[in-house]
Each structure stands twice: as structure tokens, then as C-alpha cells.
Amino acid sequence: MTSPLVATKLHVPRPRRDLVRRERLYQLLERGAESRLTLVSAPAGFGKTTLLVDWLANRKGSGRAVAWVSLERTDNEISAFWRHLLAAVGGAAAELGEDFPLHLLPEQRPDHGLTAALLNALAELTGEIEMVLDDFHLIEDKAIVEEFAFFLDHLPANVRLLVGTRADPALPLARLRARGELAEIRSADLRFRPEEIANYFQNTMQLRLAAGDMERLSERTEGWIAALQLAALSIRDRSDVSQFVANFAGSDRYIVDYLVEEVLRSQPEEVRRFFFSTCVLGRFCAELCDAVVGGHGSAAMIDALDAQNLFIVALDDRRQWYRYHHLFADVLAAHMPDAERQRLPELQLRASVWLEQHGEDDEAIRHALAAPDFERAADLIERATPEWARARRETHLRTVIAALPDALVRSRPALSLSLAGPLVQAGEIQGLAERLDEAERQLRAVGVEALAPHIGAIELYRSALAQMRGDLGAATEHALRVFDLAPKDANLERAGAAGFLAIVAWSSGDLETAQKRWTDCSAGLLQVGYISDILGLTYARGRIAVAQGRLGDAERMLEQGLSQAAAQKGYPPLGSADLATGLAELGIERNDLDAAHEHLARGETGDLTGLPQYPARSLVAMARLEQAEGRIEDALALLDEATRVYVGDFFPNVRPIAAMRARMQIEQRDWPAVERWLRESGLGPDSDLAYVREYELITLARYLLAKEDLPATLLLTDRLLGSAESGGRNAAVIELLVLRSLALEARGDSAGALTALRRALGLAEPEGQARVFLDEGDRLAALLRAATKGRAASAHARKLLVAFGAPQAPRPVEHPDLLEPLSERELDVLKLLRGDLNGPDIAGELRVSLNTVRTHTKNIYEKLGVNSRRAAVRRAEEMNLLRRDKPA
């Protein structure tokens, strides 16, 4: 079950009849066309939506298509948000007569890869699109806002974004404002001016007011549109207009409360009853209203309200679905008479039943919770939970369960257990052990038959808890109990247990056992159709195979996983982009940098999608590639970004990003930075040889070697070598032998150095491992030349010597007016920016990822002190930076 797609949210609301034309605001919106973002931000009742709708309706012949989304609180789930956004863009593309890859609609939780795919697809469109997101203040989920900020930051030039909101969103507004990429329309702009107030009363509402009354209304309401509209509705059937105007005072909600009472008092009893009965509905149609009010006249009532401009908004072109103006609905709820308020539970339940019958489970649950009929809500949630779990809607599941009384959740063991998964995913495990014990006791009290379907899940969560606490022994014990206690057909629980045993073995450095357990886990997951999880563990198996020195096995696993992903119907499953990243890392290990570029590009194009860990994984691979091509500063910048977006999981973090940074800083001889990392890591030459710290300890050995502390280098590498050899971790063995070779050579033991190097070459040659040698640069070249001589000459050494033509770090491009020097690669990008190529084309021309191009472009803008492509090219030409021939 994916998050539901509500088509009515994708229609631009119909403009009201006889609205006051607001030419000055239309001009502000038009002038904002050059901005990346137009923000229409003001409190409720200032006419934000009305302005956007009316501007779009009156803007003829612009040639720009519109992608509209009316956001709701239910869109605070990342899959719901992006599904609606993608569907809106697809409709806009069709408006332009162009195809859009609607297969991008995710079947599971979307991620950074989906955002990149959407950006790329938008950049491919030849026409222009205005994307409008109304009521953005309802989006409170941090993950959605952060991903949307990335989307905004990389918006292609043919797309303009307009956001209507009651409060400024947590987007990089200050940066956009400084760059001139933000247009703003705020309360002061939206307030009606005196001439607009006069126009509204005379022409729209057909009311003639004395000049003094008009002036007092303008003063009292301060041009606030909601108050003016309510005042007009109150005045039109009164004879004592001047007295009415003189009687109300105050501002904001006090005015609204007063005026709503006046409006409601003038309505017939049946209209008031309809208002109070249906204001609980987020959106409504005549059939739903009939079900809620218990009658058959809702269609005629809705038509009458629409004709009288009584605060309802049409949500589709056929005028079947509507909603109340948000402010009006709020105040109706506040002014509801006690008799109507007592009917609310019944009304909410009627809505819940109708929505359930029409497949709107999320809304049915919301109304059941509001009734509140918690038993009904719990039934609906239990029914939906298996599909939500499969679709990775953990956040939504946790939210709706949290809305139930805890006592009710605990009284339903199955429901209580369904909360365990989201809590484990969020890392919130306090009290979870007690919850699992309580559920087991309740199920045992009912009988063995009640316990049997759930005991596997209980033990699985206990294994997860133990692993999160670092108790690998208990994690193993509980995982093994799953096999003893779970039914034979409990494929998901048995697969999960095999997976946790694989993680325990991996964390302990027993890589062979980890591989076997992962194979069992994959087979079980295949039985229940958890393809994304299979791809995730396939990535893990590939990394383990690399650690074992089995690059060929890793390649076969990853390619097989991609084939499995390609065989799935519809949107590529999550995890497919991770596999492409794994293949890129293999290309780097073998020094096949062309292949690495190609695989990274596969993950960037949107044809594949990644797990939550993918953004950091891909950035790390890009950084490794930049390092291999001699661009350390760019590599470090990518690692910084990877640190920012890093998302952990149950897999052991055997290659911490901080240690990767330290390795590059050792190469730069940035000793303060490296020594800061050492202090923070708490490592020393005598530290325990735990496998999860092996990478860090080898990094320490690199530092000791660079500082020419040869005795400490040899002692540490000797200890690490014994541990790696006993664990069958050949990648570490090869690296340690190379370091020992360099240390022995520096100590004057050339024979010992050559012996260590020959052994490393012998292990590396069958799998084509090269980067571990090439990263050492010229200091290893002399030893490699020695290894090509004599009876034990190494063919692999000869190949490596050929590859030693790898580029050195290029000199930066300097200029007295530059804030900072441009790197050679940034200059390459700058030259291509002056042409007609878009971002993906530039990435293809330079054989780098789109993300890398974006990073370089951002750096170019900052160094040149500009905020647009055109300004960057103009500034570069003024500084004569583009004097060289344009690259082919």
C-alpha cells in the first residue's frame, strides 16, 4: 500500500467570480519570474491562495505550464509529499506536450535518488514550468523540508517555484535573498489598499457604503481580506450599516470571531447546521456530505454555497470535490453550538465509515481517531500495518499508533509489536524491552496458538535491541531463538534473524560466516517480496567480498542484484542505486576510473533509486574518485557533504567518514587536522584490534609512517596483519603489506621491503587490485620497479608502473580579484557554463557525476561573487579567465 494519491490536490482551484484585480501584485509575481523561489508568506486570511489562483487564471499566453499541489497535514509523510509533487509535474509536462517519466512515482519510501531523478527529468523538458505548493506551513517533517531544500538548491533554470505559506519555511531563504534568487510577497503587500477596499465592496459585493464607513472599515481591518469579506457578508442584509461598523474593534482573531458570528447568524438554520456538520472534513464531495449529515440534499447545498461565495474552494475542474477556507473551518469549529458539538463523534464516525468503504484508509483512520473511536482506529491500523511495513511507511505507522491511548495499544499485543519496528528504526529503544515482555506475557496468557505467530518477531526485536546496545552475544542468542520458536513459514522473521546473525559475524570480523548468513537472509526475504532489503544486503555482501579481497565475487553479486532490480515492474526498487555505487567503488579499486564514472552516473540519472544510506555512500565514492584523479580539496568537500547527510543502520560502520578524511589530510600533511581526529577517535598503537576499528587503526599506521615513526609503524602493522590474516581479510592484508614495505624501505631494509611488496602483489594480481598501490604515489614506484626484475618478476607491478601516469594535483587558477583560486576542474566547468549545455550534459562532457558538477558550480559562484550562470560567465570573461580554447 503506497501513500494515497489525491487527484483533487493537483488541480488549480477555480478563481472566484468578480474578484478585485490586483495588478500591482500580479506585477510582483511576474517580476519574480527570474527568481528561483517566489514566497507568498502571510497569516491566515490574507488571500495568498486567491492571489496565486487569480494570477494564474489571468496570465494568458505565457507558454508556461503549471504544476499545482494543495498540501495537507497528511503530506507530512515523505512518500505522500513526493508522490503528489511528481504527479503534479507529470501533469504539467503533459500540458507542454512532453512525456515525463511517471514511473518515478515511488512504491516505497523515496530518497535522495528520487530527488536527483526528478531534477534531471525536469532539466530535460524544453518548456517552462511554474510549480506551486500551497499551504507549505503544514509540512513539518524535517526530512521532507531538508530534501526539498536540496531540490530547491538544484532547481533547473526552466522551473520556477512558488510557495504559499502562513510561516516562513526552514529553507535557505537568507542565502537565496543574498543571491537575488528570492522574490517575496508578504502581509504588507497583500493587505487591501483603500481603493481596493472600495472596489471590493462596490463591485464584488454590490454594497454602497458611506465614505466614512469605508474609511473606518479600512482602519479597523488594516486591509485584512478575511475580515473585510466577513464584514461584507454581515453588512449586506443590514439597515444599520454605520452602527455595525462602529461596533466592532480589535484585530486578527477577535475581528474574525465577531464577524463569523454575524455571518452565521444571518444564515438559515439548515445552512448553519450543514456548516457545523461538515467543517470536520478536510475535503468533501456531495456523497460524503450526505453520509455525514444523514440526508440527500448536499449537492444542492454545496452549489448554493459556491454561488454565494461562502468560503468554499473547488478542488477540481468538475466541481465535485471542495474544501472550506482553512480559517473559516477553524472558526466554525470554535463557534460550534454545544448541541452540534455533542454530535461530533457521530459525524466523525460516519465520515470514517464512508472513507473506509471508498478505499481512503488514511483519512478513515484520522476521523476514527478524532471521534474518538480508538477501537475502530486500532482495527483499521492493524489491518493496514503489514502493507505499511512493506512500503516502509514506518513514520506514518508510528504517528497513528502514538495517537492511540498507550493502554489500548498495550492491550493489543499485535498492535504493540507493530510499534516496535518504527521505534527500532528511529533508535528510540527506551522501554521497548518491557513492551516486548508485556506482549509476550499477554499472548502466553491467551495460549500457545496466540503466541506462535508473534514469538519470532518478539525475539527478532530483542536481537535488534541487544545489537544496538553492543551486546553481540545476546543478539546472537535471540536471533537463534527465532529459528527455534518461529513457525516454519515465518519467512520474514527467519530472514531477519539470519540478517542479524550476519551483522554479528560481520561486526566480529568473521566475514565468511557473514556471507553465509546473508545468503540465508536473502532467500527468506525473496519469499516475502522484500526486494529493497535484498538489494541492501547485496550491497553489504559486496563490501564484505571487497574486504575479503574477492573483487570478482563482489562484481557478480552487485550485477546480479541490479538484474534482480531491473526485473521488478514499475519504479526501480530502493537499493538499486546503492549497487551501482558499489560497482563504482570496485572500478576505483581496480583503477578503472572510466567504469567508476559510468556507474556513479547510473545512480545519478534517476533510472535507479537508493536507500536512505545512498546519499552518503555515493558522495564517499565520488570523493574517492576525485582523490584518485588528484583533486584532494574537492574530495574533502564531498566527504564533508557525506558527513552531513550520513544515515546509519544496523550495519557496522567499518569505514568511518572521519577516518577517510584523516587519510586525505595525511596526504596533504595537514597534521593539526589529523591529530584532532586522533584525539577524538581515542586510538593509539596499543588499542584493541577490534575489527570495527581496523580501518581506523590502519589510518593510524599511515599517520605514524608519514611522521617517520618507523618502529611504531612496524609494530602496529605487524599486530594488524596477524588479525587480518586470521580473519581472511585480504584487502587489509594487502594494504598493511604495502605500508610495511614502505616502512622497511625507509628503515634501510630494502630486501624486507621487496619481500613484503611481492607478497602484496601476489595477493592483489588475481583480482586486479591497483588503487591500494597507486595511492602511495612516487615513493612506491622505485620498489615496484625492483619488483619487475629478477626471477620473481611481477607482471602486476609492470601494469601498475604503466598506471603511475595518474595526474598530480593541478595548480589552482589564481587572479587578484578572485575571492579564492579556482581549481582546474572548476575552470573546466566554467568554460562549459558559457555554452548551451545543461547540467547533465556538462557532467557527461567531463565524465563526472551531476552532483560533482553542482558542487563545482556552487564553488564557482562563491569564488566569483555571483549568483547565476550568466553572471559567472560575464565575470570570468571580464577577468580573462576563459582565454584558453573552449574544450571539445
Side-chain angles (χ1 to χ4, degrees), residues 23-314:
E23 295 295 342
R24 62 186 176 87
L25 297 183
Y26 301 160
Q27 290 173 16
L28 287 177
L29 287 168
E30 287 297 339
R31 285 201 296 271
E34 296 300 316
S35 302
R36 187 183 296 271
L37 170 65
T38 296
L39 187 71
V40 183
S41 180
F46 274 85
K48 299 179 293 295
T49 303
T50 301
L51 171 65
L52 290 168
V53 168
D54 196 41
W55 171 63
L56 291 171
N58 283 283
R59 188 202 54 187
K60 303 297 185 184
S62 72
R64 298 191 291 265
V66 177
W68 177 286
V69 183
S70 297
L71 295 167
E72 299 177 353
R73 292 199 183 279
T74 52
D75 295 314
N76 268 297
E77 187 196 5
I78 196 164
S79 58
F81 179 89
W82 287 105
R83 278 175 60 79
H84 284 98
L85 189 61
L86 278 162
V89 171
E95 201 177 320
L96 293 169
E98 298 191 45
D99 292 328
F100 189 79
L102 287 176
H103 68 275
L104 290 175
L105 289 174
E107 295 297 326
Q108 295 181 311
R109 180 184 175 90
D111 72 333
H112 195 69
L114 170 69
T115 312
L118 175 56
L119 289 164
N120 293 342
L122 285 168
E124 293 292 327
L125 297 174
T126 57
E128 295 184 352
I129 288 180
E130 277 160 337
M131 189 179 298
V132 185
L133 280 79
D134 197 24
D135 290 325
F136 198 86
H137 58 275
L138 298 174
I139 302 302
E140 299 168 346
D141 185 274
K142 184 178 178 182
I144 296 176
V145 176
E146 286 181 352
E147 193 64 27
F148 189 73
F150 173 84
F151 176 76
L152 170 61
D153 225 16
H154 299 87
L155 205 63
N158 61 325
V159 181
R160 177 190 180 190
L161 187 63
L162 298 100
V163 167
T165 179
R166 292 187 186 179
D168 285 2
L171 298 172
L173 300 181
R175 188 173 75 228
L176 292 170
R177 194 177 291 119
R179 292 179 175 178
E181 296 179 346
L182 176 66
E184 299 174 82
I185 296 178
R186 296 190 172 273
S187 307
D189 304 302
L190 289 163
R191 293 182 189 278
F192 267 20
R193 295 177 177 179
E195 63 274 15
E196 291 173 317
I197 294 175
N199 187 338
Y200 174 69
F201 274 90
Q202 292 168 11
N203 299 324
T204 301
M205 300 305 295
Q206 302 295 309
L207 293 171
R208 296 290 182 268
L209 271 67
D213 291 338
M214 195 85 73
E215 186 175 340
R216 276 189 290 274
L217 272 177
S218 176
E219 179 184 334
R220 296 285 175 84
T221 63
E222 297 182 351
W224 187 26
I225 300 169
L228 288 165
Q229 186 176 7
L230 288 164
L233 290 170
S234 301
I235 287 170
R236 63 184 177 185
D237 295 322
R238 302 181 69 103
S239 58
D240 56 341
V241 173
S242 294
Q243 184 65 39
F244 171 84
V245 172
N247 277 347
F248 80 87
S251 60
D252 295 352
R253 188 57 175 268
Y254 297 107
I255 291 179
V256 174
D257 287 351
Y258 176 76
L259 294 177
V260 166
E261 285 189 26
E262 291 292 323
V263 172
L264 291 175
R265 190 179 300 146
S266 68
Q267 299 301 319
E269 174 63 26
E270 64 270 20
V271 173
R272 291 201 300 272
R273 188 177 180 86
F274 184 85
F275 278 152
F276 292 128
S277 298
T278 58
C279 68
V280 298
L281 301 171
R283 56 191 177 89
F284 54 84
C285 62
E287 189 179 345
L288 173 56
C289 290
D290 282 343
V292 170
V293 303
H296 299 286
S298 297
M301 177 67 75
I302 291 170
D303 287 344
L305 296 178
D306 192 19
Q308 294 176 56
N309 194 21
L310 276 173
F311 298 99
I312 68 170
V313 179

